[in-house]
């Protein structure tokens, strides 16, 4: 018979049964046990939904889940089909089991798993039977357990689920964070690491292009505000178009590698939508965007880009429209050429 | 506990997975297993398959390439599973790691993976908790961007999806981690 049980690890680590006061202290420290008046409605809703879930026990069924549980970002991010409630429920089931296996209160870990039916001995049992087993394991009389301990267990589960969501998925698309480093970047020889690094490479390239575009858009806005000579503003607008084309090309490279949606963002953002983070740009047709992405080459200069755009069908007109729209000037008399 | 009964080649095959996200210290744990003479995967088959795919394509894997890579890795995992016929063996990742791989790229599991995860069962799964220096300043830039954590969590989710209850191995030096893992192993019935 296989005897391995995760909770044995605590014994190996020398972490033994914690008294109840430690549990209460932990909850206070982590903000789980705030006074009722200070609790957020969202936190209450999540705990209430977990209470409903406990009645049925594991495995999680979609019909036993409320919107707060199924809407957790950590759940959506793990679901194979995030748009499907059943798929989210399966993801929640795995996540809940993991959180119970990693229950933050060592002394109540076994009781929590028994209560939810995550242990074979209470799997499929009624709530009454699961509660009795949990109370016995925790060393409490069953009514005391139900009234005093069980709510704290549910609070802690809710807190762990919220923490997981906070840590797991970015709330919105944000550029890769940079930090000072005192040594060379060392990757483990691991395919997951290679893929994660490649994803970061493509993402960093995309964000890099977005920041380059932003810099040019700011210059155009400054020059327009200063009422700078038309040629100067036009040149800045042409540079912005060049950078915009590079954003479109970087977005196309991302899509080819990873699909139409940015991986691991809470919102279903497409890579091309990140371009909007640089600032307002004149609306372009799909054909115009395709043209720009096609002639953008990160290794080439602005002059090379402008030459290629001038030579392309509709390129000069596109550039003139862009300049006019971006600088807020009617460029009717200016030459229909992109070359600065 | 003596490992001799488990290492006896005359006993039924027992298969244990060692897995976790990058930077979890998997290599060091497998090296320690080898150093103790405990049968374990040599290298990581998925790495060579990955290199072969890149060499063949001449570029990085794209959306349309990933399923083929995933299938090749699955095939290698199944072959490694079936090639072990007696005694104890630790595996460098297991078949359900495929769930994490696919999920990382927003792909759903495919029928062959589901079937293999159902048929080829491991006796236990050890998930190495990320090492303490997981987020240290010299570590991966993208660790802070949660990329590595996502991989780790998706691997864990894959094993739960496949019906396992993983055993989490705390961050520690490799020798103590291996001792912890060995302490979880069953004593075979005589």
């Amino acid at each position: 018979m296989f005897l391995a049980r995760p909770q044995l690890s605590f014994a190996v680590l020398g972490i033994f049964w914690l008294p109840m006061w430690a549990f209460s202290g932990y909850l206070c420290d982590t903000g789980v046990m705030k006074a009722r008046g200070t609790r957020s409605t969202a936190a209450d809703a999540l705990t209430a939904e977990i209470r409903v879930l406990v009645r049925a026990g594991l495995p999680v069924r979609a019909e036993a889940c409320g919107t707060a549980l199924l809407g957790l970002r950590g759940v959506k991010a793990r679901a194979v089909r995030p748009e499907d409630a059943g798929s989210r429920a399966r993801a929640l089931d795995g996540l809940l089991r993991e959180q119970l296996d990693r229950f933050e209160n060592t002394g109540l870990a076994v009781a929590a798993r028994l209560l939810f039916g995550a242990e074979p001995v209470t799997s499929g049992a009624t709530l009454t039977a699961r509660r009795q087993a949990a109370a016995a394991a925790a060393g409490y009389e069953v009514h005391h357990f139900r009234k005093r301990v069980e709510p704290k267990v549910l609070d802690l589960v809710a807190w762990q689920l919220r923490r997981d969501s906070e840590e797991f998925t970015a709330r919105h698309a944000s550029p890769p964070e940079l930090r000072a480093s005192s040594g060379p970047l060392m990757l483990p020889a691991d395919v997951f690491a290679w893929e994660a690094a490649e994803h970061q490479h493509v993402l960093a390239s995309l964000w890099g292009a977005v920041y380059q575009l932003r810099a040019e858009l700011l210059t155009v806005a400054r020059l327009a505000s200063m009422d700078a000579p038309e040629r100067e503003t036009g040149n800045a607008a042409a540079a912005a178009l060049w950078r915009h084309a590079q954003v479109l090309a970087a977005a196309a490279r991302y899509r080819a590698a990873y699909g139409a949606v940015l991986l691991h963002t809470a919102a279903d953002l497409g890579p091309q939508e990140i371009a909007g983070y640089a600032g307002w740009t004149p609306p372009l047709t799909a054909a115009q965007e395709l043209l720009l992405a096609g002639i953008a080459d990160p290794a080439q200069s602005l002059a090379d880009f402008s030459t290629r755009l001038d030579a392309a069908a509709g390129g000069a007109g596109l550039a003139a429209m862009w300049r006019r729209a971006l600088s807020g000037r009617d460029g009717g008399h200016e030459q229909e050429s992109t070359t600065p | 506990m003596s490992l001799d009964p488990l290492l006896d080649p005359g006993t039924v095959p027992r298969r244990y997975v060692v897995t976790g996200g990058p930077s979890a210290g998997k290599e060091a744990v497998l090296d320690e297993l080898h150093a103790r003479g405990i049968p374990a995967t040599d290298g990581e088959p998925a790495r060579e398959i990955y290199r072969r795919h890149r060499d063949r394509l001449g570029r990085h894997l794209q959306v349309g390439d990933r399923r083929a890579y995933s299938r090749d890795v699955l095939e290698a995992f199944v072959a490694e599973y079936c090639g072990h016929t007696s005694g104890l063996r630790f595996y460098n990742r297991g078949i359900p790691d495929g769930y994490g791989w696919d999920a990382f790229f927003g792909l759903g599991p495919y029928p062959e993976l589901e079937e293999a995860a159902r048929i080829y069962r491991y006796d236990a799964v050890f998930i190495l908790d990320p090492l303490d220096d997981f987020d240290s300043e010299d570590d991966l830039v993208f660790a802070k961007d949660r990329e590595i954590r996502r991989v780790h969590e998706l691997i864990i989710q894959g094993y739960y999806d496949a019906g396992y209850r993983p055993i989490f191995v705390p961050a520690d030096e490799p020798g103590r981690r291996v001792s912890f893992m060995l302490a979880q192993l069953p004593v075979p019935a005589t």
Side-chain angles (χ1 to χ4, degrees):
Chain A
M1 181 193 149
F2 185 61
L3 299 172
R5 300 173 88 88
Q7 59 268 31
L8 289 177
S9 64
F10 298 119
V12 171
L13 288 173
I15 301 169
F16 298 101
W17 195 267
L18 294 179
M20 195 60 201
W21 59 263
F23 179 47
S24 303
Y26 172 80
L27 290 173
C28 292
D29 289 345
T30 54
V32 176
M33 247 180 72
K34 289 178 181 171
R36 287 201 72 77
T38 62
R39 286 176 60 111
S40 76
T41 310
D44 282 340
L46 194 64
T47 306
E49 288 185 14
I50 293 170
R51 200 172 299 121
V52 173
L53 205 61
V54 163
R55 280 185 210 135
L58 295 179
V60 172
R61 295 171 188 84
E63 58 272 20
C65 300
T67 53
L69 274 169
L70 293 185
L72 284 168
R73 283 184 284 123
V75 170
K76 283 195 277 188
R78 286 174 173 87
V80 173
R81 286 177 294 279
E83 71 284 0
D84 174 53
S87 180
R88 284 198 211 180
R90 283 189 290 281
L92 174 62
D93 186 84
L95 174 58
L96 203 49
R97 288 177 196 271
E98 182 191 346
Q99 294 303 324
L100 290 169
D101 281 342
R102 293 177 177 278
F103 201 59
E104 294 278 353
N105 183 274
T106 319
L108 285 171
V110 175
R113 286 195 291 271
L114 287 166
L115 180 64
F116 277 84
E119 292 281 358
V121 70
T122 55
S123 176
T126 63
L127 174 59
T128 305
R130 282 183 276 124
R131 185 176 281 143
Q132 280 171 346
Y140 291 105
E141 186 275 326
V142 69
H143 295 293
H144 177 82
F145 181 86
R146 180 176 64 80
K147 285 184 179 174
R148 304 288 176 206
V149 182
E150 195 173 306
K152 292 171 184 170
V153 168
L154 302 190
D155 270 344
L156 185 51
V157 170
W159 179 80
Q160 287 186 213
L161 288 173
R162 281 196 302 276
R163 181 187 60 179
D164 172 81
S165 281
E166 284 301 316
E167 291 176 353
F168 191 74
T169 310
R171 196 181 297 275
H172 50 75
S174 55
E177 187 179 339
L178 304 178
R179 286 180 298 161
S181 191
S182 58
L185 181 58
M186 303 294 286
L187 281 181
D190 182 299
V191 288
F192 283 103
W194 297 341
E195 277 290 353
E198 183 68 28
H199 181 242
Q200 282 291 299
H201 172 102
V202 179
L203 199 59
S205 300
L206 176 58
W207 278 102
V210 169
Y211 277 105
Q212 297 271 25
L213 170 59
R214 177 161 182 77
E216 299 302 342
L217 291 174
L218 287 167
T219 300
V220 174
R222 178 179 59 78
L223 293 172
S225 167
M226 293 168 69
D227 202 18
E230 195 168 319
R231 183 170 180 76
E232 200 177 336
T233 311
N235 287 348
L241 182 57
W242 173 47
R243 295 301 190 189
H244 187 66
Q246 290 179 341
V247 170
L248 293 173
R253 282 195 294 276
Y254 188 98
R255 276 198 304 276
Y258 302 105
V261 176
L262 284 174
L263 296 181
H264 319 305
T265 49
D268 288 342
L269 270 179
Q272 71 284 355
E273 289 169 271
I274 284 189
Y277 284 44
W280 182 86
T281 53
L284 300 175
T285 65
Q288 286 173 323
E289 289 191 344
L290 207 58
L291 166 66
L292 289 174
I295 63 171
D297 181 344
Q300 287 191 331
S301 67
L302 169 59
D304 292 330
F305 169 76
S306 299
T307 303
R308 296 179 74 180
L309 184 58
D310 277 343
L318 162 58
M321 177 280 292
W322 174 276
R323 271 199 304 273
R324 283 195 300 273
L326 207 55
S327 64
R329 286 178 170 155
D330 186 329
H333 299 296
E334 65 183 320
Q335 57 177 355
E336 292 282 306
S337 170
T338 62
T339 308
Chain B
M1 180 191 87
S2 168
L3 274 180
D4 292 343
L6 288 167
L7 293 171
D8 180 356
T11 58
V12 295
R14 292 177 189 276
R15 303 175 176 92
Y16 303 102
V17 173
V18 181
T19 189
S23 299
K26 192 160 52 67
E27 292 294 317
V29 164
L30 285 159
D31 286 348
E32 177 69 20
L33 287 167
H34 284 131
R36 295 192 192 190
I38 298 168
T41 305
D42 198 9
E44 186 175 357
R47 284 204 298 248
E48 297 317 310
I49 296 168
Y50 187 84
R51 285 196 176 102
R52 277 206 304 274
H53 274 255
R54 278 197 73 125
D55 290 346
R56 181 173 56 78
L57 293 165
R59 57 165 169 73
H60 186 69
L61 271 63
Q62 296 194 339
V63 175
D65 310 318
R66 293 223 164 75
R67 193 60 95 200
Y69 167 77
S70 198
R71 284 184 208 278
D72 281 1
V73 172
L74 174 62
E75 197 179 312
F77 276 141
V78 170
E80 190 187 11
Y81 182 101
C82 294
H84 179 63
T85 54
S86 64
L88 170 78
R89 185 174 179 82
F90 284 88
Y91 290 79
N92 185 350
R93 301 201 185 282
I95 290 166
D97 273 71
Y99 286 104
W101 176 267
D102 287 346
F104 184 78
F105 296 107
L107 302 172
Y110 53 101
E112 295 95 319
L113 174 60
E114 302 259 58
E115 188 184 7
R118 199 171 50 249
I119 294 172
Y120 305 109
R121 304 294 293 178
Y122 300 95
D123 292 281
V125 174
F126 293 99
I127 290 182
L128 305 181
D129 280 344
L131 293 173
D132 287 342
D133 62 354
F134 191 58
D135 271 344
S136 70
E137 71 166 287
D138 292 336
D139 202 356
L140 314 171
V141 169
F142 52 89
K144 264 293 181 188
D145 199 48
R146 304 187 174 100
E147 204 95 351
I148 294 298
R149 177 175 154 75
R150 275 185 212 113
V151 172
H152 188 75
E153 288 298 328
L154 290 170
I155 290 170
I156 294 171
Q157 177 76 27
Y159 279 92
Y160 278 108
D161 286 349
Y164 288 97
R165 182 168 169 194
I167 299 167
F168 296 99
V169 182
D172 207 335
E173 60 96 8
R176 281 208 284 269
R177 285 180 133 184
V178 167
S179 297
F180 170 84
M181 288 159 55
L182 297 178
Q184 314 295 313
L185 300 184
V187 179
T190 51

